Amino acid sequence: MSRIAIIGGHGKVALHLARRLSDKGHSVTSLFRNPDHAAEVEQTGAAAVVADVENLSTEQITELLRGQDAVVWSAGAGGGTPERTFAVDRDAAIRSMDAAEAAGADRYVMVSYFGAGKDHGVPEDDGFFAYAEAKADADEHLRASRLNWTILGPSALTLDPGTGRIETGAGVEGGSVSREDVAHVAAEVLERPETAGKTIEFNNGSTPVAEALDSLA
């Protein structure tokens, strides 16, 4: 059994992930901003911790992560102003990485997106630009860290039921994937230390998740 903290614990991917990890016997702590969401988070089997990481220091986040084996970043500003996007998707994410290192939570899984990176190609006048820039900076910081990191790059997210099947690997182009299947991939990655140091982009496809991840080894 591992102790796993999910940051952004009330998000749709995070709720699926907490439920899946709890069902597997892991000890899950979900961090989220709105106290009104505590009951829904607790229904997943996770311990609910109200924590607004946008406004917490690295030291404060470190204290929340002490005793954890792994951290999953599944938070996001969810649109809004560029300022808030950078504050959450870049700055808070980076503080959480530094906090994970300081707390000894060496395994870190980042939920990013398909095509993330400095060469994202999004024009500055596009509403998606701030998010693309923020995620690129956060992912870059994670790759340079001492953490055992894995970056997940799901394609366009849907609310469809999970299929348990994906496509990944060289040559895969962006498509779509259900949030439930993103959670499935994250849960499987946490149990596969050999995925550390990898960026895994994926869509829904025809290969069972475990088999698809094993093919990357």
Side-chain angles (χ1 to χ4, degrees):
M1 184 181 78
S2 294
R3 294 162 296 179
I4 300 165
I6 303 173
I7 300 176
H10 185 253
K12 293 179 177 67
V13 170
L15 292 171
H16 283 301
L17 177 59
R19 190 173 293 109
R20 181 175 285 272
L21 292 173
S22 296
D23 288 348
K24 287 188 169 189
H26 297 295
S27 175
V28 182
T29 300
S30 289
L31 284 62
F32 54 96
R33 181 173 57 88
N34 189 338
D36 293 343
H37 296 153
E40 189 176 358
V41 169
E42 288 171 346
Q43 288 172 2
T44 67
V49 175
V50 177
D52 183 4
V53 294
E54 179 184 357
N55 295 302
L56 295 181
S57 67
T58 301
E59 292 73 22
Q60 289 171 315
I61 300 172
T62 298
E63 289 308 309
L64 292 173
L65 298 182
R66 287 203 189 280
Q68 302 293 329
D69 300 308
V71 177
V72 179
W73 177 272
S74 190
T81 66
E83 290 77 17
R84 183 155 190 269
T85 297
F86 283 115
V88 176
D89 293 285
R90 182 191 63 195
D91 301 340
I94 286 172
R95 289 197 300 276
S96 79
M97 298 165 199
D98 295 344
E101 281 195 27
D106 294 329
R107 188 75 169 102
Y108 192 107
V109 175
M110 164 62 74
V111 179
S112 189
Y113 72 95
F114 200 112
K118 284 298 187 182
D119 56 351
H120 55 70
V122 180
E124 285 192 43
D125 59 355
D126 190 303
F128 192 71
F129 179 79
Y131 181 76
E133 283 287 292
K135 294 301 277 187
D137 289 343
D139 291 355
E140 190 174 70
H141 187 88
L142 182 56
R143 291 188 179 101
S145 75
R146 296 189 300 272
L147 295 165
N148 294 317
W149 58 266
T150 302
I151 296 172
L152 301 183
S155 52
L157 301 176
T158 75
L159 292 172
D160 296 337
T163 66
R165 294 174 179 271
I166 60 169
E167 61 173 4
T168 188
V172 170
E173 297 182 358
S176 64
V177 62
S178 76
R179 287 170 169 82
E180 188 173 358
D181 283 319
V182 176
H184 189 164
V185 172
E188 292 287 341
V189 159
L190 284 164
E191 296 186 346
R192 285 172 163 74
E194 67 273 13
T195 61
K198 287 184 165 62
T199 299
I200 303 171
E201 296 186 320
F202 60 97
N203 310 306
N204 273 130
S206 59
T207 306
V209 168
E211 184 180 327
L213 293 176
D214 288 344
S215 73
L216 299 175

